[in-house]
Amino acid sequence: SSGINAEYGEVDPGWRRDMEAAAACPNVHCKMSGLVTEVDPEHHRAPFDASTFRGHVDVVLGLFGPGRVMMGSDWPVLELTGATYSTVLGLHRELLSALSEKERDAVLGGNAISFYKL
């Protein structure tokens, strides 16, 4: 489960504990994907913005660090929500805006290139 509460953007404590356990393993990376599709998985009608995901992204970056996190667009599934790849990329960029350019570039592609040995 994503632990995303679309109305409040609150982080589910059980999800956080699961993420803490995963992050404790140095060989585990986290792919941030499916953000918009998890907001309202039944109907895809709930509104969202960066604040909906801020808590989750902060947890992931805090636990894994930008060196073990990668962006996933969830394309083409994200189109079920009416969102576009461009929308999701913009959302990720906004959520990562506090990172340095090098860290942002890593999360937005560099880490995936390294992890998947591309």
Side-chain angles (χ1 to χ4, degrees):
S1 165
S2 67
I4 295 175
N5 177 322
E7 188 173 352
Y8 303 108
E10 294 175 359
V11 175
D12 178 88
W15 177 84
R16 182 186 181 94
R17 280 191 302 276
D18 291 345
M19 297 306 288
E20 289 169 349
C25 303
N27 62 321
V28 174
H29 289 60
C30 182
K31 181 177 174 185
M32 292 190 301
S33 184
L35 298 181
V36 300
T37 54
E38 289 298 315
V39 172
D40 179 11
E42 295 292 320
H43 307 287
H44 305 295
R45 292 186 199 122
F48 60 85
D49 60 22
S51 67
T52 308
F53 312 105
R54 174 78 54 208
H56 293 81
V57 171
D58 288 350
V59 167
V60 166
L61 289 171
L63 292 173
F64 289 89
R68 291 196 297 150
V69 175
M70 59 187 95
M71 175 213 159
S73 69
D74 203 29
W75 183 89
V77 178
L78 68 92
E79 291 181 352
L80 293 172
T81 69
T84 64
Y85 176 83
S86 200
T87 300
V88 172
L89 179 59
L91 184 65
H92 277 276
R93 285 187 173 142
E94 183 176 348
L95 289 164
L96 301 172
S97 63
L99 298 179
S100 71
E101 182 178 357
K102 181 179 178 180
E103 291 170 327
R104 244 186 342 271
D105 288 347
V107 173
L108 292 174
N111 292 341
I113 290 169
S114 175
F115 182 83
Y116 294 114
K117 297 177 180 26
L118 301 175

